[in-house]
């Protein structure tokens, strides 16, 4: 076998809880373990990265990872940590989402090798769709008592109304049985003896181990990882625009890179262990290098680099890095012209913009027009004159005087001009 998986999780801060005996179980032979992913979108987001990394480390330690797409459970909705029921999906959407998720997982897991521990993707819809309700309550339901199900935190919290006004539907109540049955099915058909997930999944996972014991007459194990939190108390994996997705169309590689780059020192030190494959020695030397000169943000830069290259590509990382440094670049004007329009707009998202028609621009646009008369960036022509006299106005980061006329030479991507007043105020003119 390769490295010791449980030891690997421990030093990386990725182990929350595990069932007694799991380490010995892993030492004896190559084992299969699964993690479930919710297919309600055609992309995973960075909240899914911890379980993905669990599977990736598992495979690197010589064991066999099974990624389960919850086509059936996605139709029901998991009550853990949720305050309301979710939308139900049709089969065509589920299949599309499943393919998209497999493609993302293949950045981390090897599905294609001929090795015994090649990763496998399964969908619980495939074995649940033929299962009638009567068969399910007869063959599975009778083995688990209502008392046992009620004792789970995910159920208790919903029923006591802490997280919802409506209590909990029967559909959601049965969720742990359906998930538990998945574990039993994979135990029987795929010789899968371990289920992994976030610490909020412990109740659902142990229902599975209970079914394996009562129906399968065998032994299943649970391993959970901590739920990731941010040091400032805000929610991990969310930015102002909502989820940070792994799909470049939903979250651009530049914004993805920025999310990690903007981590606090404390978070970066935690994340670099969880979200990269760097060794313990490499990480320790990065941490000590960082602590000698925190302002250089060594940890954040390396974290952002590793994870952007993993989720996207080396080229995407280089573009994101270049775009991140561009505002401080000595050769700003040349560098900014190398960014494509999408990346340019990402960098300047939220900056005030004004549109000027091409006809007006071709007639000649002076600096008073650009700052005030035609754009209202500044409140008055007088304020624009003062700023120009104080030498605090620049066009594409080059200082200009009042007599400067804007021309096609100043255009970025043939349509944008960046104006600055002082260090703090940036404006964009768009020629339409």
């Amino acid at each position: 076998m390769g490295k010791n998986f449980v030891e690997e999780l421990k030093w990386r801060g990725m182990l929350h809880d595990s069932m007694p005996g799991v380490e010995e179980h892993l030492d004896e032979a190559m084992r299969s373990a699964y993690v479930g992913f919710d297919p309600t979108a055609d992309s995973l987001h960075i909240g899914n990265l911890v379980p993905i990394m669990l599977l990736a480390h598992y495979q690197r330690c010589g064991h066999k990872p099974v990624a389960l797409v919850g086509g059936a459970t996605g139709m029901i909705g998991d009550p853990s940590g949720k305050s309301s029921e979710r939308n139900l999906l049709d089969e065509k959407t589920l299949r599309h989402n499943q393919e998209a998720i497999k493609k993302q997982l293949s950045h981390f897991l090897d599905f294609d090798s001929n090795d015994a521990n090649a990763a496998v993707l399964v969908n619980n819809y495939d074995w649940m769709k033929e299962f009638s309700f009567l068969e399910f309550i007869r063959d599975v339901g009778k083995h688990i008592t209502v008392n046992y199900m009620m004792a789970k935190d995910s159920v208790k919290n919903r029923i006591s109304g802490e997280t919802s006004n409506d209590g909990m539907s029967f559909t959601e109540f049965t969720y742990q049985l359906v998930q538990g049955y998945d574990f039993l099915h994979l135990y029987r058909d795929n010789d899968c003896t371990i289920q992994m997930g976030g610490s909020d999944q412990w109740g659902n996972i142990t229902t599975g181990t209970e079914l394996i014991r009562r129906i399968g007459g065998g032994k299943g194990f649970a391993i959970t990882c901590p739920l990731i939190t941010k040091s400032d108390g805000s929610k991990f994996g969310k930015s102002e625009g909502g989820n940070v997705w792994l799909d470049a169309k939903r979250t651009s590689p530049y914004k993805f890179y920025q999310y990690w780059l903007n981590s606090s020192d404390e978070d970066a030190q935690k994340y670099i262990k969880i979200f990269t494959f760097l060794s313990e020695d490499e990480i320790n030397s990065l941490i000590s290098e960082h602590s000698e000169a925190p302002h250089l943000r060594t940890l954040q830069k390396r974290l952002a680099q590793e994870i952007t290259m993993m989720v996207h590509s080396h080229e995407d990382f280089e573009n994101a890095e270049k775009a991140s440094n561009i505002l401080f670049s000595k050769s700003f004007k040349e560098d900014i012209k190398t960014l494509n329009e999408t990346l340019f707009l990402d960098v300047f998202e939220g900056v005030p913009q004004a549109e000027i028609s091409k006809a007006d621009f071709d007639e000649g646009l002076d600096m008073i027009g650009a700052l005030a008369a035609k754009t209202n960036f500044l409140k008055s022509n007088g304020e624009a004159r003062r700023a120009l006299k104080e030498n605090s106005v620049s066009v594409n980061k080059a200082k200009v005087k009042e007599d400067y006329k804007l021309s096609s030479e100043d255009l970025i991507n043939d349509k944008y001009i960046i104006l600055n007043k002082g260090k703090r105020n940036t404006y964009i003119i768009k020629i339409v």
Side-chain angles (χ1 to χ4, degrees), residues 258-414:
Q258 285 288 320
Y259 182 85
W260 301 102
L261 194 63
N262 291 325
S263 306
S264 69
D265 288 353
E266 192 185 328
D267 287 340
Q269 191 169 328
K270 184 167 71 173
Y271 295 165
I272 200 155
K273 293 175 183 168
I274 297 173
F275 299 112
T276 75
F277 294 116
L278 299 175
S279 71
E280 193 167 4
D281 291 345
E282 279 176 290
I283 288 175
N284 288 338
S285 75
L286 282 167
I287 288 171
S288 62
E289 189 186 327
H290 181 97
S291 61
E292 280 162 31
H295 64 283
L296 297 178
R297 300 178 74 71
T298 306
L299 277 179
Q300 285 90 338
K301 286 175 182 168
R302 187 61 187 277
L303 168 69
Q305 172 184 349
E306 291 288 326
I307 199 156
T308 305
M309 278 164 48
M310 219 161 14
V311 169
H312 297 291
S313 69
H314 194 269
E315 188 190 353
D316 285 327
F317 153 66
E318 286 181 335
N319 287 336
E321 185 184 43
K322 181 171 70 178
S324 298
N325 295 333
I326 217 151
L327 299 178
F328 314 104
S329 160
K330 298 271 186 285
S331 49
F332 177 84
K333 198 171 172 186
E334 289 68 51
D335 293 349
I336 194 82
K337 291 189 172 173
T338 64
L339 298 190
N340 64 37
E341 186 172 4
T342 314
L343 203 48
F344 174 86
L345 291 173
D346 265 348
V347 174
F348 291 99
E349 189 182 34
V351 170
Q353 282 196 21
E355 295 186 348
I356 288 179
S357 71
K358 188 160 181 349
D360 280 0
F361 182 74
D362 291 344
E363 273 177 24
L365 181 60
D366 61 24
M367 290 313 298
I368 305 293
L371 288 165
K374 300 264 189 192
T375 61
N376 297 326
F377 289 146
L378 302 183
K379 290 189 183 69
S380 65
N381 293 355
E383 192 183 338
R385 275 200 188 87
R386 273 195 303 284
L388 287 155
K389 278 204 175 69
E390 289 161 3
N391 199 27
S392 67
V393 174
S394 53
V395 171
N396 298 335
K397 299 279 180 177
K399 293 276 192 215
V400 295
K401 299 262 188 276
E402 192 176 332
D403 58 2
Y404 190 81
K405 282 266 195 301
L406 294 170
S407 71
S408 57
E409 291 288 295
D410 297 307
L411 294 177
I412 300 161
N413 286 318
D414 296 328

